[in-house]
Amino acid sequence: MHPTKKAARVAGAIYLSMCLIAPFSLLYIPAKLIVRGDAAATADNILAHETLFRLGVVGDLFASVIFILLGLALYRLLNGVNRMWALTMLALVLVSAAVGFLNVLNNIAALTLFRGGDFLATLDKPQRDALAYLFIRLHNQGEFMNEIFWGLWLLPFGLLVYRSGFLPRFLGVWLMLGCFAYLVLSLIALLFPPYYGAAFKIAQPVLFGELAIMLWLLIKGAKVPAARDQRSEVGGQLTDKYAHG
């Protein structure tokens, strides 16, 4: 397999692993355990399914680690197109992962408060539940803030795909549109929270660009120029000729 195609397949496999883990923490856990506006009910749910909540924390951490690995894999694939854009893409990935790591502390703090302990004896349960719910909300707000970086890294990524010559240009455009969609979603979440749900649904077709590039990398890999293939084939024939005298 050609090195470029192999690098594309590796990046696609890493992308797939992130797409499988991230929704568990971002979507399933909040929908399953968090009761919006009700700290007591949220506390009861989390304490009754503590292992599930802890798995969500681990999932958040692993998603950030995999995101870093994805950035490195894509840098390896695309740095030959434009090294500065590739470095910019990788830097934005690293910043986003760092924000993700720090944001996990909010959920850990919430769980600590929900479970209680001797050092929290001065607070009664309703107070602890309310404070813990505040950390749950801070974690949610941290994700909205991180959407800025979820979007920004797609701009250099999309430009690199568009200019690569071995990946479809329409995927690069799709990714760049995803950049602006995430930026708009983040601003709506911070400035007009009641409209976020509707905006997220409207933005879905644009955000699916990441799913499209992931499937393309995983299934199709990268298109190797025919001339390069021909040179490789001729070189192989000459090598065989000289090897056999």
Side-chain angles (χ1 to χ4, degrees):
M1 183 183 294
H2 191 277
T4 301
K5 182 169 287 190
K6 182 179 180 181
R9 293 274 174 80
V10 170
I14 296 173
Y15 222 142
L16 175 62
S17 65
M18 189 177 72
C19 289
L20 292 175
I21 292 176
F24 175 74
S25 300
L26 294 176
L27 301 175
Y28 178 76
I29 295 295
K32 181 75 173 178
L33 301 180
I34 297 173
V35 181
R36 187 172 182 82
D38 193 331
T42 300
D44 291 341
N45 284 345
I46 290 176
L47 292 175
H49 303 89
E50 185 176 332
T51 300
L52 181 62
F53 188 77
R54 288 182 180 276
L55 285 174
V57 170
V58 173
D60 270 338
L61 293 173
F62 270 84
S64 293
V65 171
I66 294 172
F67 196 19
I68 293 172
L69 295 177
L70 174 61
L72 292 170
L74 290 173
Y75 176 82
R76 180 187 176 192
L77 174 66
L78 297 167
N79 76 90
V81 179
N82 186 297
R83 190 167 182 270
M84 183 57 66
W85 291 351
L87 284 172
T88 301
M89 175 190 69
L90 182 58
L92 291 169
V93 167
L94 294 175
V95 172
S96 179
V99 172
F101 281 127
L102 289 174
N103 198 31
V104 171
L105 288 173
N106 286 313
N107 275 349
I108 294 174
L111 181 60
T112 302
L113 286 164
F114 282 140
R115 296 184 78 246
D118 293 340
F119 67 98
L120 294 170
T122 56
L123 300 175
D124 58 30
K125 189 176 187 305
Q127 290 175 323
R128 287 191 285 106
D129 290 349
L131 186 56
Y133 189 78
L134 171 63
F135 280 105
I136 294 288
R137 296 291 294 164
L138 285 175
H139 180 269
N140 195 39
Q141 292 300 312
E143 290 176 350
F144 292 146
M145 292 172 61
N146 208 6
E147 282 183 341
I148 294 174
F149 295 103
W150 295 351
L152 286 177
W153 87 282
L154 294 178
L155 183 59
F157 182 22
L159 286 168
L160 289 165
V161 170
Y162 185 84
R163 294 286 300 275
S164 68
F166 52 77
L167 293 169
R169 284 191 164 191
F170 79 91
L171 290 177
V173 174
W174 203 346
L175 289 169
M176 286 185 278
L177 291 175
C179 163
F180 296 107
Y182 269 122
L183 293 179
V184 171
L185 284 174
S186 181
L187 290 175
I188 291 175
L190 296 173
L191 298 176
F192 311 104
Y195 301 101
Y196 180 83
F200 185 78
K201 291 179 180 178
I202 294 171
Q204 285 300 297
V206 178
L207 300 181
F208 281 152
E210 285 194 81
L211 180 62
I213 188 66
M214 181 269 291
L215 292 173
W216 189 278
L217 291 170
L218 188 63
I219 298 171
K220 300 285 287 186
K223 180 182 178 183
V224 181
R228 186 180 298 177
D229 285 346
Q230 291 171 0
R231 287 197 299 269
S232 298
E233 183 177 349
V234 171
Q237 291 173 352
L238 290 173
T239 300
D240 291 341
K241 179 179 179 181
Y242 287 118
H244 292 87

